[in-house]
Amino acid sequence: MQHLSDLNAFTAILPRATRVQTASGQMITLRVARKRDYDAVDRLLSQSYPKMLAADYAPSVLALAMPKIAGANMRLLRSGRYFLAESEGGQLLGAGGYSIEAPGGRKSLPGTAHIRHVVAHHAHQGRGIGRALLRHTLDQAAQEGITRFDCLSTLNAEGFYQAIGFRRVGAVELPLAPGIRFPAVQMQL
């Protein structure tokens, strides 16, 4: 039996796709991710995260963390709160979204959304794709009544989130599995 909280009426009111121009002038389409996008999102994360994080994390940390953090999350993809950025030709350029539930079973405050897995394809970084995705995510969450945003940023993405208006709360170490701790930055907007 499905609980009322599991029903996602919010998804039904989202536009199927929104075309936006990035800061670099590129036209992209932002759309809600679906279950069928799992493999493409998984490839995006597993290809981009290691390249993006290499400058800020020791190889030993990445070797342990990548299997835990660089994979698509089916629950996010099915939530109606996770979005894809695609080129005019349909190439996946980025992904990102939010959840109402805090990652890792942490406590979540009412009216709070948790920014999740925001990434631009490593070959397309610095072109405004991540910024367009995050702004779209914040706008969609605000339509749902969200007034506060939490984010667990990787070390290299702290400046990206600060440029949007997030403030640093402090350094954290995320327990990914027994013996595997991942340095990150807790941020809020």
Side-chain angles (χ1 to χ4, degrees):
M1 179 174 175
Q2 203 170 23
H3 296 288
L4 184 59
S5 63
D6 292 338
L7 297 176
N8 197 352
F10 177 64
T11 304
I13 64 169
L14 285 177
R16 285 194 100 31
T18 302
R19 287 178 36 89
V20 299
Q21 188 171 15
T22 66
S24 68
Q26 180 179 11
M27 290 302 295
I28 61 172
T29 299
L30 300 173
R31 68 172 178 85
V32 175
R34 301 282 184 236
K35 181 179 167 182
R36 68 179 178 268
D37 296 313
Y38 182 90
D39 289 338
V41 172
D42 198 60
R43 271 191 307 278
L44 172 70
L45 295 172
S46 66
Q47 291 172 0
S48 295
Y49 272 14
K51 288 179 172 50
M52 294 175 354
L53 303 178
D56 292 297
Y57 292 91
S60 59
V61 171
L62 291 179
L64 293 172
M66 281 305 110
K68 302 289 182 191
I69 66 170
N73 181 319
M74 183 60 80
R75 188 168 180 175
L76 280 175
L77 268 71
R78 294 176 63 180
S79 72
R81 296 176 175 121
Y82 197 72
F83 309 100
L84 304 183
E86 297 175 325
S87 69
E88 290 183 317
Q91 178 188 7
L92 181 59
L93 302 174
Y98 68 100
S99 65
I100 302 302
E101 304 81 25
R106 294 182 357 253
K107 184 176 168 54
S108 184
L109 299 172
T112 301
H114 302 272
I115 303 301
R116 306 286 300 276
H117 286 276
V118 177
V119 63
H121 188 282
H122 60 88
H124 298 277
Q125 286 190 335
R127 298 181 186 174
I129 294 164
R131 182 179 292 252
L133 264 166
L134 186 54
R135 289 199 186 282
H136 183 75
T137 296
L138 297 173
D139 290 345
Q140 296 303 314
Q143 288 182 26
E144 196 175 352
I146 300 300
T147 57
R148 176 188 161 119
F149 297 91
D150 281 351
C151 176
L152 293 172
S153 171
T154 57
L155 300 177
N156 63 301
E158 182 178 1
F160 166 76
Y161 288 108
Q162 284 178 333
I164 300 287
F166 280 78
R167 67 175 177 78
R168 178 187 173 100
V169 175
V172 294
E173 283 198 354
L174 305 174
L176 300 179
I180 302 175
R181 299 188 70 74
F182 186 75
V185 180
Q186 184 176 357
M187 304 189 80
Q188 291 180 344
L189 177 69

